[in-house]
Amino acid sequence: MDLTLVKQLAISSSSKIVLLVADGLGGLPRETDGRSELEVARLPNLDALAARSLCGLIDMVGPGIIPGSGPGHLALFGYDPFIYQIGRGVLEACGIDLELRSSDVASRGNFCTLDEEGRVVDRRAGRITTETCQRLCVKLDQIRIEGVEVIVRPVKEHRFVVVFRGEGLSDALSESDPLVTGERPLPVKVVSPGAERTAELVNQFLDQAREALKDEKPANMVLLRGFAAPPQLPAFPDLLRLRAVAITCYPMYRGLAKLIGMDALPFCADLDDELRALSRNYDQHDFFYVHFKAPDRAGEDGDFDAKVAALEELDRRIPDFLNFHPDVFIVTGDHSTPAILKGHSWHPVPFLLWSRWSRSAGVGRFTERECAQGPLGRMPAIDLMPLAMANALRFKKFGA
Amino acid sequence: MDLTLVKQLAISSSSKIVLLVADGLGGLPRETDGRSELEVARLPNLDALAARSLCGLIDMVGPGIIPGSGPGHLALFGYDPFIYQIGRGVLEACGIDLELRSSDVASRGNFCTLDEEGRVVDRRAGRITTETCQRLCVKLDQIRIEGVEVIVRPVKEHRFVVVFRGEGLSDALSESDPLVTGERPLPVKVVSPGAERTAELVNQFLDQAREALKDEKPANMVLLRGFAAPPQLPAFPDLLRLRAVAITCYPMYRGLAKLIGMDALPFCADLDDELRALSRNYDQHDFFYVHFKAPDRAGEDGDFDAKVAALEELDRRIPDFLNFHPDVFIVTGDHSTPAILKGHSWHPVPFLLWSRWSRSAGVGRFTERECAQGPLGRMPAIDLMPLAMANALRFKKFGA
């Protein structure tokens, strides 16, 4: 969406938009019978809804491009994922609900094992337990460096986040992770001018970390990568003149939503919990982002049947969502995660958009193939929010 | 259309293109039977033509964006409506066939009523009669301001146009209309640098207008908004090397066509009159823009049946248009105006393009749903003129 234009056209309204994101929704046909997860699953509610909705496929980023959850979600929210990139360090911080300031630089970290020559022999320190990680993070969090605040927080197993907090920092830094074993950790270098001081501070941190961990086994060093500052982007609620809230079960998505200025509720346990949260918060907001993780997890595990089951679980709740009578109801995903590929893919993602003003597709079932026949065919994901706004009668006319 | 490219590729030819614009053509299904105006209307001629034409849907501006007639028409003529914007003042001047020079600044005006404290109590001065408006415009047209010519012309009821004519003027001005009652008219301010002198002159006009109207009741002041200079754009006939003429019944569209350099015939009374004008002018021109207003008017009135009748009226004339044997014949609209929405909407607009060289769609009926299945599916409206030019064999090859 053209953010300048959208800001100009958005008007206040009492209409409500629900965006239900089934993570990794899109799939591919399995070999046995040539049917995808969406085609095998029994989805009577989604099918009935699709028949009276605008349906199509969305490309999150572009043809052939495999989106991470960051770009996928940004595109769904209307932000061009090429322009507004969320670096790995920031995403990792989102993942543990660690709030960042606009001037922070965050990095993803791995505990690793060095041999006596200082070469990396295990980039994951044998996958130490999360408890060990927590203990070591407390140690590293004590590190003091002149001119910057250092915040170290555990993620899981060997993974952690480090945030450098100060003025005038830059994320234009190279990684210390050599990405292979048998090499020494690399000194962090400047990738573009202006990052010299930050590189200096990060290297000091790395020296002090080596010192603090030298007697530990197996995690006797850290590797840092994905240095990132929070993206500078206009806040979603301000841009679109709506009160937006995120209803999620996982920190990453809550963090993403907060990054763009949405309110974010405390974590829900599951879909039913999310429906209860939607109910409690329905009156106070206009836009509801609801996230359902299970299809993606099953897809990444390569578990076709589990993904089918997850989709069927979602389908059973569709009447509950419809009972809120949102003015606009969208069901889609942030990318495809085909079980046969065991990971995110580039394939466009089905979507349905129901509103009183949507021209229905005449699509029979909510599947990849049928949505491809829908009147919108295939479109960029960043066009979905403008459509949602128009269908919610939240845009004024463009031009006289 | 890429204007530089198009200018490079356009060649002279004797081929003729007729662009028939049914204003507000696109619609939405009504609740009773789920059929749109185009689906209910009996359109045997358009259906037969669609079956042997290229069909699809066009987005005038972009997904979710509701076009005014200005952007809608510019897009049909091939100009990117984001780049070339027609401000309200200019459109209002078009509407009364008031010709503008490229250095003019035009503004829409309302006669209004102020109380004794100078606050607006009625932004439309009780909707004075058009006769009163004419009388008051003659008064205001006498206003003399050093350094600029002032032209004041009535539009209808409380509405008028004022044109400031001089050198070095700028339309980067704020509005004097507070848009609510109970507030005083605002001084016109500069929106971006370079407009200081124009702001000064406009405020002088407003002071003198207050003086001239002080004894009038109820129209004792004016409110100005939509300051606009004519858009700087390359002239359509020069760009495309064709003699273009506009055949219309309403000033707005005649004015729009003239803005982009087309010849414009005197107003026609109705479709039959337009067909006679087409006949009289057929030999002297290559491109014919013919405008039919009725579907939009019915749509804006929320009158589904009247819109159906208007479409059927258009359909009956299709054989008459075909009798001219144009090399390219296009039927489309400048935006959708669904009767159930009572106004312009964002929904893409059906089009058909017939030429000897168009790949026919195999579309059965000229409706939104069927056109969506056409081979072009959905495309930006600015791609229509290049297609028309190509089908008219008016483009040379691009590249060796």
Side-chain angles (χ1 to χ4, degrees), chain A residues 267-321:
Chain A
F267 299 118
C268 294
D270 51 33
L271 253 184
D272 287 323
D273 206 17
E274 288 180 310
L275 278 160
R276 283 187 290 268
L278 182 58
S279 177
R280 283 193 304 272
N281 288 273
Y282 202 68
D283 292 335
Q284 303 91 298
H285 294 91
D286 314 305
F287 178 91
F288 307 86
Y289 154 57
V290 185
H291 181 257
F292 179 55
K293 181 70 175 167
D296 178 66
R297 203 168 342 103
E300 297 235 7
D301 287 345
D303 194 336
F304 192 99
D305 294 333
K307 188 171 173 189
V308 168
L311 295 169
E312 292 178 344
E313 184 193 349
L314 180 68
D315 185 80
R316 282 191 288 276
R317 305 306 190 293
I318 293 298
D320 297 309
F321 280 99

Coordinates of all heavy atoms in Angstrom, one line a residue, chain A residues 267-321:
Chain A
F267 N -0.3 -13.3 26.0 CA -0.4 -14.5 25.2 C -1.7 -15.3 25.5 O -2.1 -15.4 26.6 CB 0.8 -15.4 25.4 CG 2.0 -14.7 25.0 CD1 3.0 -14.4 25.9 CD2 2.2 -14.2 23.7 CE1 4.2 -13.8 25.6 CE2 3.4 -13.5 23.4 CZ 4.3 -13.3 24.3
C268 N -2.2 -15.9 24.4 CA -3.3 -16.8 24.6 C -2.7 -18.2 24.5 O -1.7 -18.4 24.0 CB -4.3 -16.6 23.4 SG -5.2 -15.0 23.5
A269 N -3.5 -19.1 25.0 CA -3.1 -20.5 25.0 C -3.3 -21.2 23.7 O -2.5 -22.0 23.2 CB -3.7 -21.3 26.2
D270 N -4.5 -20.9 23.1 CA -4.9 -21.6 21.9 C -6.0 -20.8 21.2 O -6.3 -19.7 21.7 CB -5.4 -23.0 22.2 CG -6.4 -23.0 23.4 OD1 -7.2 -22.0 23.4 OD2 -6.5 -23.9 24.2
L271 N -6.5 -21.4 20.1 CA -7.6 -20.7 19.4 C -8.8 -20.3 20.2 O -9.3 -19.2 20.1 CB -8.1 -21.6 18.2 CG -7.6 -21.2 16.8 CD1 -8.3 -22.2 15.8 CD2 -7.9 -19.8 16.4
D272 N -9.2 -21.2 21.1 CA -10.4 -20.9 21.9 C -10.1 -19.7 22.8 O -10.9 -18.8 23.0 CB -10.8 -22.1 22.7 CG -11.5 -23.1 21.8 OD1 -12.2 -22.7 20.9 OD2 -11.3 -24.3 22.1
D273 N -8.9 -19.7 23.3 CA -8.5 -18.6 24.2 C -8.4 -17.3 23.4 O -8.8 -16.2 23.9 CB -7.1 -18.9 24.8 CG -6.8 -18.3 26.1 OD1 -7.8 -17.8 26.7 OD2 -5.6 -18.2 26.5
E274 N -8.0 -17.4 22.2 CA -7.9 -16.2 21.3 C -9.3 -15.7 21.0 O -9.5 -14.5 21.0 CB -7.2 -16.5 20.0 CG -5.7 -16.7 20.2 CD -4.9 -17.0 18.9 OE1 -5.4 -18.0 18.2 OE2 -3.9 -16.4 18.6
L275 N -10.3 -16.6 20.9 CA -11.6 -16.2 20.6 C -12.2 -15.5 21.9 O -12.9 -14.4 21.7 CB -12.5 -17.4 20.2 CG -12.4 -17.8 18.8 CD1 -12.9 -19.2 18.5 CD2 -13.2 -16.8 17.9
R276 N -11.8 -16.0 23.0 CA -12.3 -15.3 24.2 C -11.7 -13.9 24.3 O -12.3 -12.9 24.7 CB -12.0 -16.1 25.5 CG -12.9 -17.3 25.7 CD -12.6 -18.0 27.0 NE -11.3 -18.7 27.0 CZ -11.2 -20.0 26.7 NH1 -12.2 -20.7 26.3 NH2 -10.0 -20.5 26.7
A277 N -10.4 -13.8 24.0 CA -9.7 -12.5 24.0 C -10.3 -11.5 23.0 O -10.5 -10.3 23.3 CB -8.2 -12.7 23.7
L278 N -10.7 -12.1 21.9 CA -11.4 -11.2 20.8 C -12.7 -10.7 21.4 O -13.0 -9.5 21.3 CB -11.6 -12.1 19.6 CG -12.3 -11.4 18.4 CD1 -11.5 -10.3 17.9 CD2 -12.5 -12.5 17.3
S279 N -13.4 -11.5 22.1 CA -14.7 -11.1 22.7 C -14.5 -10.0 23.7 O -15.2 -9.0 23.7 CB -15.4 -12.3 23.3 OG -16.6 -11.9 23.9
R280 N -13.5 -10.2 24.6 CA -13.3 -9.2 25.7 C -12.9 -7.9 25.1 O -13.1 -6.8 25.7 CB -12.2 -9.7 26.6 CG -12.6 -10.8 27.6 CD -11.6 -10.9 28.7 NE -10.3 -11.3 28.2 CZ -9.8 -12.5 27.9 NH1 -10.6 -13.5 28.1 NH2 -8.6 -12.7 27.4
N281 N -12.2 -7.9 23.9 CA -11.6 -6.6 23.4 C -12.3 -6.1 22.2 O -11.9 -5.1 21.6 CB -10.1 -6.9 23.1 CG -9.3 -7.1 24.3 OD1 -8.8 -6.1 24.9 ND2 -9.1 -8.3 24.8
Y282 N -13.4 -6.7 21.9 CA -14.1 -6.4 20.6 C -14.5 -4.9 20.5 O -14.4 -4.2 19.5 CB -15.2 -7.3 20.3 CG -15.6 -7.4 18.8 CD1 -14.7 -7.9 17.9 CD2 -16.8 -6.8 18.3 CE1 -15.0 -8.0 16.6 CE2 -17.1 -6.9 17.0 CZ -16.2 -7.5 16.1 OH -16.5 -7.5 14.8
D283 N -15.1 -4.4 21.6 CA -15.6 -3.1 21.6 C -14.6 -2.0 21.5 O -14.8 -0.9 20.9 CB -16.5 -2.8 22.8 CG -17.8 -3.6 22.7 OD1 -18.2 -4.0 21.6 OD2 -18.4 -3.9 23.8
Q284 N -13.4 -2.3 22.1 CA -12.4 -1.2 22.2 C -11.5 -1.1 21.0 O -10.6 -0.2 21.0 CB -11.5 -1.4 23.5 CG -12.3 -1.5 24.8 CD -12.6 -3.0 25.0 OE1 -13.3 -3.6 24.3 NE2 -12.1 -3.5 26.1
H285 N -11.6 -1.9 20.0 CA -10.7 -1.9 18.9 C -11.5 -2.0 17.6 O -12.7 -2.3 17.5 CB -9.7 -3.0 18.9 CG -8.8 -2.8 20.1 ND1 -9.0 -3.4 21.3 CD2 -7.6 -2.2 20.2 CE1 -8.0 -3.1 22.1 NE2 -7.2 -2.3 21.5
D286 N -10.8 -1.6 16.5 CA -11.4 -1.7 15.1 C -10.8 -2.7 14.2 O -11.4 -3.2 13.3 CB -11.2 -0.3 14.4 CG -11.5 0.9 15.3 OD1 -12.7 0.9 15.8 OD2 -10.7 1.7 15.5
F287 N -9.5 -3.1 14.5 CA -8.8 -4.0 13.7 C -8.2 -5.1 14.6 O -7.5 -4.8 15.6 CB -7.7 -3.3 13.0 CG -6.8 -4.2 12.1 CD1 -7.1 -4.4 10.8 CD2 -5.7 -4.8 12.7 CE1 -6.3 -5.3 10.1 CE2 -4.9 -5.6 11.9 CZ -5.2 -5.9 10.6
F288 N -8.4 -6.3 14.2 CA -8.0 -7.5 15.1 C -7.1 -8.4 14.2 O -7.6 -9.0 13.3 CB -9.2 -8.2 15.6 CG -10.2 -7.3 16.3 CD1 -11.2 -6.6 15.5 CD2 -10.2 -7.1 17.6 CE1 -12.1 -5.8 16.1 CE2 -11.1 -6.3 18.3 CZ -12.0 -5.6 17.5
Y289 N -5.9 -8.5 14.6 CA -5.0 -9.5 14.0 C -5.0 -10.7 14.9 O -4.5 -10.6 16.1 CB -3.6 -8.8 13.8 CG -2.4 -9.8 13.8 CD1 -2.4 -10.9 12.8 CD2 -1.4 -9.7 14.6 CE1 -1.3 -11.7 12.8 CE2 -0.3 -10.6 14.6 CZ -0.3 -11.6 13.7 OH 0.8 -12.5 13.6
V290 N -5.4 -11.8 14.4 CA -5.5 -13.1 15.1 C -4.6 -14.1 14.5 O -4.7 -14.3 13.3 CB -6.9 -13.6 15.3 CG1 -6.9 -14.8 16.2 CG2 -7.9 -12.5 15.7
H291 N -3.6 -14.6 15.2 CA -2.6 -15.5 14.6 C -2.8 -17.0 15.1 O -2.9 -17.2 16.3 CB -1.2 -15.0 15.0 CG -0.1 -15.8 14.4 ND1 0.6 -16.7 15.2 CD2 0.4 -15.9 13.2 CE1 1.5 -17.3 14.4 NE2 1.4 -16.8 13.2
F292 N -2.7 -17.9 14.1 CA -2.8 -19.3 14.4 C -1.6 -20.0 13.8 O -1.4 -20.1 12.6 CB -4.1 -19.8 13.8 CG -4.4 -21.3 13.9 CD1 -4.4 -21.9 15.2 CD2 -4.7 -22.1 12.8 CE1 -4.7 -23.2 15.4 CE2 -4.9 -23.5 13.0 CZ -4.9 -24.0 14.3
K293 N -0.8 -20.6 14.7 CA 0.5 -21.1 14.3 C 0.6 -22.5 13.8 O 1.5 -22.9 13.0 CB 1.4 -21.0 15.6 CG 2.9 -21.5 15.4 CD 3.7 -20.5 14.6 CE 5.2 -21.0 14.5 NZ 5.9 -20.2 13.5
A294 N -0.4 -23.3 14.2 CA -0.3 -24.8 14.0 C 0.0 -25.2 12.5 O 0.8 -26.2 12.3 CB -1.5 -25.5 14.6
P295 N -0.6 -24.7 11.5 CA -0.4 -25.2 10.2 C 1.1 -25.1 9.8 O 1.7 -26.0 9.2 CB -1.2 -24.3 9.3 CG -2.3 -23.7 10.1 CD -1.6 -23.6 11.5
D296 N 1.7 -24.0 10.2 CA 3.1 -23.8 9.9 C 4.0 -24.8 10.6 O 5.0 -25.4 10.0 CB 3.6 -22.4 10.2 CG 5.1 -22.1 10.0 OD1 5.4 -22.1 8.8 OD2 5.8 -21.9 10.9
R297 N 3.7 -25.0 11.8 CA 4.5 -26.0 12.6 C 4.5 -27.4 12.0 O 5.5 -28.0 11.8 CB 4.1 -26.0 14.1 CG 5.3 -26.5 14.9 CD 5.1 -26.3 16.4 NE 4.1 -25.3 16.8 CZ 2.9 -25.6 17.3 NH1 2.6 -26.9 17.4 NH2 2.1 -24.7 17.6
A298 N 3.3 -27.8 11.7 CA 3.1 -29.1 11.0 C 3.8 -29.1 9.7 O 4.5 -30.1 9.3 CB 1.6 -29.4 10.8
G299 N 3.7 -28.1 8.9 CA 4.4 -28.0 7.6 C 5.9 -28.1 7.7 O 6.5 -28.9 7.0
E300 N 6.4 -27.4 8.7 CA 7.9 -27.4 8.9 C 8.3 -28.8 9.3 O 9.5 -29.2 9.0 CB 8.3 -26.4 9.9 CG 8.0 -24.9 9.5 CD 9.3 -24.0 9.5 OE1 10.4 -24.5 9.8 OE2 9.1 -22.8 9.3
D301 N 7.5 -29.5 10.0 CA 7.8 -30.9 10.5 C 7.6 -31.9 9.3 O 7.9 -33.1 9.5 CB 6.9 -31.3 11.6 CG 7.2 -30.6 12.9 OD1 8.4 -30.1 13.0 OD2 6.4 -30.7 13.9
G302 N 7.1 -31.4 8.2 CA 6.8 -32.3 7.1 C 5.6 -33.2 7.4 O 5.5 -34.3 6.7
D303 N 4.8 -32.8 8.3 CA 3.7 -33.7 8.7 C 2.4 -33.3 8.1 O 1.6 -32.4 8.6 CB 3.6 -33.6 10.3 CG 2.7 -34.7 10.8 OD1 1.8 -35.2 10.1 OD2 2.8 -35.1 12.0
F304 N 2.1 -33.8 6.9 CA 1.0 -33.5 6.1 C -0.3 -33.6 6.9 O -1.2 -32.8 6.9 CB 1.0 -34.4 4.8 CG 0.0 -33.9 3.8 CD1 0.4 -33.2 2.7 CD2 -1.4 -34.3 3.8 CE1 -0.5 -32.8 1.7 CE2 -2.3 -33.9 2.8 CZ -1.8 -33.2 1.8
D305 N -0.5 -34.8 7.5 CA -1.7 -35.1 8.2 C -1.9 -34.1 9.4 O -3.1 -33.7 9.7 CB -1.7 -36.5 8.7 CG -1.8 -37.5 7.6 OD1 -2.3 -37.2 6.5 OD2 -1.3 -38.7 7.8
A306 N -0.9 -33.8 10.1 CA -1.0 -32.8 11.2 C -1.4 -31.4 10.7 O -2.2 -30.7 11.3 CB 0.3 -32.7 12.0
K307 N -0.9 -31.1 9.5 CA -1.3 -29.8 8.9 C -2.8 -29.8 8.5 O -3.5 -28.9 8.7 CB -0.4 -29.4 7.7 CG -0.7 -28.0 7.2 CD 0.3 -27.5 6.2 CE -0.2 -26.1 5.7 NZ 0.6 -25.7 4.5
V308 N -3.2 -31.0 7.9 CA -4.7 -31.1 7.6 C -5.5 -30.9 8.9 O -6.5 -30.2 8.9 CB -4.9 -32.5 7.0 CG1 -6.4 -32.8 6.9 CG2 -4.3 -32.5 5.6
A309 N -5.1 -31.6 10.0 CA -5.8 -31.5 11.2 C -5.8 -30.1 11.8 O -6.9 -29.6 12.3 CB -5.1 -32.5 12.3
A310 N -4.7 -29.4 11.6 CA -4.7 -28.0 12.1 C -5.7 -27.1 11.3 O -6.4 -26.3 11.9 CB -3.3 -27.4 12.0
L311 N -5.7 -27.3 10.0 CA -6.6 -26.6 9.2 C -8.1 -26.9 9.5 O -9.0 -26.0 9.6 CB -6.4 -26.9 7.7 CG -5.0 -26.4 7.1 CD1 -4.7 -27.0 5.8 CD2 -4.9 -24.9 7.1
E312 N -8.4 -28.2 9.8 CA -9.7 -28.5 10.2 C -10.1 -27.9 11.6 O -11.2 -27.5 11.8 CB -9.9 -30.1 10.2 CG -9.8 -30.6 8.8 CD -9.9 -32.1 8.7 OE1 -9.7 -32.8 9.8 OE2 -10.1 -32.6 7.6
E313 N -9.1 -27.8 12.4 CA -9.3 -27.2 13.8 C -9.7 -25.7 13.6 O -10.6 -25.2 14.2 CB -8.0 -27.3 14.6 CG -8.2 -26.8 16.0 CD -6.9 -26.6 16.8 OE1 -5.8 -27.1 16.3 OE2 -6.9 -26.0 17.8
L314 N -9.0 -25.1 12.7 CA -9.3 -23.7 12.4 C -10.7 -23.6 11.8 O -11.5 -22.7 12.2 CB -8.3 -23.1 11.4 CG -8.5 -21.7 11.0 CD1 -8.2 -20.7 12.2 CD2 -7.6 -21.3 9.8
D315 N -11.0 -24.5 10.9 CA -12.3 -24.4 10.2 C -13.5 -24.5 11.2 O -14.5 -23.8 11.1 CB -12.5 -25.5 9.2 CG -13.8 -25.4 8.4 OD1 -13.8 -24.6 7.4 OD2 -14.7 -26.1 8.7
R316 N -13.3 -25.3 12.3 CA -14.4 -25.5 13.2 C -14.7 -24.2 14.0 O -15.8 -24.0 14.5 CB -14.0 -26.6 14.2 CG -14.3 -28.0 13.7 CD -14.2 -29.0 14.8 NE -12.8 -29.2 15.3 CZ -11.9 -30.0 14.7 NH1 -12.2 -30.7 13.6 NH2 -10.7 -30.1 15.2
R317 N -13.7 -23.3 14.0 CA -13.9 -22.0 14.8 C -14.5 -20.9 13.9 O -14.8 -19.8 14.4 CB -12.6 -21.5 15.4 CG -11.9 -22.4 16.3 CD -12.7 -23.0 17.4 NE -11.9 -23.7 18.4 CZ -11.3 -24.8 18.2 NH1 -11.3 -25.4 17.0 NH2 -10.6 -25.4 19.2
I318 N -14.5 -21.1 12.6 CA -14.9 -20.0 11.7 C -16.3 -19.5 12.1 O -16.5 -18.2 12.1 CB -14.9 -20.5 10.2 CG1 -13.4 -20.7 9.8 CG2 -15.6 -19.4 9.3 CD1 -12.5 -19.5 9.9
P319 N -17.3 -20.3 12.4 CA -18.6 -19.7 12.8 C -18.5 -18.8 14.1 O -19.2 -17.8 14.2 CB -19.4 -21.0 13.2 CG -18.8 -22.1 12.3 CD -17.4 -21.8 12.3
D320 N -17.5 -19.2 15.0 CA -17.4 -18.3 16.1 C -16.8 -16.9 15.8 O -17.3 -15.9 16.3 CB -16.4 -19.0 17.1 CG -16.9 -20.3 17.6 OD1 -18.0 -20.3 18.1 OD2 -16.2 -21.3 17.5
F321 N -15.9 -16.9 14.8 CA -15.4 -15.6 14.3 C -16.6 -14.8 13.6 O -16.7 -13.6 13.9 CB -14.3 -15.8 13.3 CG -13.0 -16.1 14.0 CD1 -12.5 -17.4 14.1 CD2 -12.2 -15.0 14.5 CE1 -11.2 -17.6 14.7 CE2 -11.0 -15.3 15.1 CZ -10.5 -16.6 15.2

